[in-house]
Amino acid sequence: MPEVSPLDAAVNGPFGPHNLPYGVFTTADAPGSARIGVRIGDHVLDAGAAARALGSEDAELLSQPVLNPLMAAGRPVWRRVRGALTAWLTEPEHRRTVEPLLHPLHSVVLRLPFEVADYVDFYASEHHATTVGRIFRPDGEALTPNWKHLPIGYHGRAGTVVVSGTDVVRPTGQRKTPHDPQPVFGPSTRLDYEAEVGFVVGTPSRQGERVELDALADHVFGVCLVNDWSARDLQAWEYVPLGPFLGKSFATSVSPWIVPLDALEAARVVPPARDTPLLPYLDDAKSEGWGLDLRLEVALNTEVVSRPPFATMYWTAAQQLAHMTVNGASLRTGDLFASGTVSGPGDDERGCLLEQTWNGRDPLRLSGGASRTFLEDGDEVAITAWAPGPDGRRVGFGEVTGRVSPAV
Amino acid sequence: MPEVSPLDAAVNGPFGPHNLPYGVFTTADAPGSARIGVRIGDHVLDAGAAARALGSEDAELLSQPVLNPLMAAGRPVWRRVRGALTAWLTEPEHRRTVEPLLHPLHSVVLRLPFEVADYVDFYASEHHATTVGRIFRPDGEALTPNWKHLPIGYHGRAGTVVVSGTDVVRPTGQRKTPHDPQPVFGPSTRLDYEAEVGFVVGTPSRQGERVELDALADHVFGVCLVNDWSARDLQAWEYVPLGPFLGKSFATSVSPWIVPLDALEAARVVPPARDTPLLPYLDDAKSEGWGLDLRLEVALNTEVVSRPPFATMYWTAAQQLAHMTVNGASLRTGDLFASGTVSGPGDDERGCLLEQTWNGRDPLRLSGGASRTFLEDGDEVAITAWAPGPDGRRVGFGEVTGRVSPAV
């Protein structure tokens, strides 16, 4: 029986030719030579080598050690490259050329696929924000007065964004509960994950200009998964009045594959109804909207502990982009903006332990009698996702994993 | 009478050979060719050309379009380069070579001298934080409970850091006072400046490691002035619970000259007495401390409106660096961390209009019968500074200027 081509095997899976996410990889025989790869099934196509072999006009953009030059090239080029990749991976006359340029996924090392410019983290899930509000302000309004008028966000640390698989060292710092007479110093005792979705900016914008609500697809190159690790005890003590800082800045993990926005057309859904009138620059009621039906899954030490539904997010990426630039702030190629914790209405749809354990009050029960309030050393968190694709197929995301290593 | 050499004319001024700040410039005949310059008096030495002419081993580091590679080279190299520059500009046999490589300051265009990695803004002036607290919480404690235990800071937008002289477009966005039934959209009506001092990281650190209190000079390449433009109305509405975002992210201006930390030895002073015990990682009582006697001056449309004394800052850059990394966050070459508004105890020492006008209540009286609550279109803000140098000389800083242009 003839061996099935990896390209044929991939067709109906989550990484078929309808997906084609981009990453950057190295191989064991050339560990210093980072290359752009495109995932197809359980293989990685060396995109630069394929482009050179086929005489593509985009060979130089695809022969880089990071995605940034391709990302900066803009949407017409992204579409042209995507069209070419589809042809190379599906048309018999090209397949003969590219098949030898496939690497089994298990044989490569995946790298941080792009240089991060600015990193912004939003707070866009009403379910998450409401639960957090109830936990911390049981006698007050769950949402702050601004929450339904603008997508709240803040800048995070771009320099500590790491690729999936990188160990996360438990952070050390100050904490002080109302019961402590003085601040206490030591490793965080309330280390948490946050399951998020990240949007990666390709096309920049100029300072002083704003990006309109309908321009998302012109600027966003693709989508990844994000684990915005959080030290809840450090955060609680530091965050008034200027927001989270050391409670977040020690590490943020991203998945290695950037799913093109064009691969998510079938995943577009109408965002939740807005019960508060929006200013025109944020009002997406008359447009198609950019809700996205991404189904996340969080596993703690391989046991699924949550299935956060991204479709329930109150604020969309298009609104976040319009808001982020309405004051004239520019975008740069490599900007990453993340959704904030994705949480649905159900108890089993919460995207962080803070919510799942009600800030440690109600431990999360795991199989074999184990339980967690927050993360322990050695714990591994893995976030995956898929979205509806064309013709009943699924669009897969690469997983973002990270293991907690002990404080230094 | 023979013409005086620019090098002799510079000796006793604020940009003499005891200072030697670094910048990046272009000339009219080569506007696309950015080069590293060193300021000497009212001239700029083409540092790369000098290094090549004199066969310096650091010629390549100095022949770059940005300071980052030199900054990344580390303190031993910074000291070697500084020693060489001093020799070239003061020893007769070298002066003949470098004098033709001097450009009059007025003939060059100064560029953003380094690529900004992450930008962090602190809140380190007790006088500023206390006044702000009194303005916004007249019935509560002026300082939040954490203020004297840790240097509060947050991440700003690195992509909108611009060099002195760049116009600042008045930002547009949402605001809502308690009197407004709904958020109002439009150009900011409370645009402010913030006079700050910035520290530029050269030597990086690894994720998971911390930088100790005594390692400032190993990591910080130099010091600049910063105007952290702020839209107080946008900020007031957005900042709870995750901190400032669009109220700050539209623009941050920096001075074009990076003063080497080694030029500020004579400016070191003991920081203010701490009246709250500090955790060991922040406790500088037993070390020399990194208070710096920088005398800032703020001019609004050429009229001096404030003289903020940096020596009064409660938290030093060394403490900020130790805090920023205590959780294992890494440093990258090009990280910029700023002090927050510099304000002294006196009414004429406040570093922003928010304080000077008590949030607009008490207009600032200017000459000719003019007054301001906040900045008007066309206003130009210029921040300068000097510090005590060796032998009674002064160390000058380049000014950071910016003119407000109307909202788009």
Side-chain angles (χ1 to χ4, degrees), chain A residues 118 149 159 174 207 246 327, chain B residues 118 149 159 174 207 246 250 327:
Chain A
D118 271 301
H149 292 284
Q174 290 193 33
Q207 207 160 345
L246 300 194
N327 68 345
Chain B
D118 271 301
H149 291 284
Q174 290 193 33
Q207 207 159 344
L246 298 194
F250 57 95
N327 68 343

Side-chain angles (χ1 to χ4, degrees), chain A residues 282-363:
Chain A
L282 291 173
D283 188 359
D284 61 355
K286 287 177 190 145
S287 68
E288 222 179 318
W290 266 103
L292 284 172
D293 182 17
L294 316 184
R295 324 278 176 96
L296 277 64
E297 191 173 273
V298 182
L300 178 53
N301 300 326
T302 73
E303 181 175 349
V304 174
V305 294
S306 182
R307 290 192 170 87
F310 191 71
T312 64
M313 300 297 276
Y314 194 86
W315 296 104
T316 69
Q319 291 173 312
Q320 290 163 0
L321 196 68
H323 185 62
M324 194 160 46
T325 59
V326 71
N327 68 345
S330 51
L331 301 172
R332 289 184 297 170
T333 299
D335 282 349
L336 169 67
F337 62 102
S339 59
T341 304
V342 182
S343 290
D347 287 354
D348 55 351
E349 296 179 329
R350 294 171 172 172
C352 63
L353 287 168
L354 171 69
E355 285 182 75
Q356 290 172 293
T357 72
W358 209 263
N359 197 22
R361 191 192 67 186
D362 306 326

Side-chain angles (χ1 to χ4, degrees), chain A residues 152-296:
Chain A
I152 291 175
Y154 67 100
H155 285 90
R157 192 164 186 82
T160 51
V161 174
V162 297
V163 72
S164 173
T166 307
D167 280 359
V168 170
V169 179
R170 179 180 296 274
T172 293
Q174 290 193 33
R175 58 178 177 272
K176 182 180 175 303
T177 68
H179 311 295
D180 296 321
Q182 293 296 325
V184 175
F185 184 81
S188 170
T189 60
R190 292 177 173 245
L191 183 60
D192 202 354
Y193 66 85
E194 289 194 336
E196 307 196 3
V197 174
F199 294 79
V200 182
V201 171
T203 311
S205 70
R206 281 194 299 188
Q207 207 160 345
E209 285 181 1
R210 67 175 84 157
V211 174
E212 305 287 345
L213 202 52
D214 62 2
L216 183 80
D218 294 325
H219 289 276
V220 166
F221 176 76
V223 184
C224 62
L225 301 178
V226 176
N227 184 344
D228 189 41
W229 305 90
S230 299
R232 302 298 185 188
D233 41 357
L234 312 191
Q235 186 183 348
W237 171 228
E238 74 179 356
Y239 90 105
V240 175
L242 300 185
F245 184 36
L246 300 194
K248 302 276 194 172
S249 67
F250 57 95
T252 304
S253 303
V254 297
S255 58
W257 297 109
I258 312 299
V259 175
L261 209 57
D262 278 336
L264 296 172
E265 268 303 315
R268 286 183 73 170
V269 291
V270 176
R274 286 74 164 74
D275 49 21
T276 299
L278 291 177
L279 285 165
Y281 80 98
L282 291 173
D283 188 359
D284 61 355
K286 287 177 190 145
S287 68
E288 222 179 318
W290 266 103
L292 284 172
D293 182 17
L294 316 184
R295 324 278 176 96
L296 277 64

Side-chain angles (χ1 to χ4, degrees), chain B residues 40-61:
Chain B
I40 182 81
D42 292 329
H43 284 72
V44 180
L45 175 69
D46 184 329
R52 295 191 299 274
L54 290 162
S56 161
E57 63 184 309
D58 297 309
E60 193 179 331
L61 281 180

Side-chain angles (χ1 to χ4, degrees), chain B residues 18-32:
Chain B
H18 59 290
N19 187 348
L20 302 183
Y22 294 95
V24 166
F25 72 102
T26 57
T27 53
D29 59 334

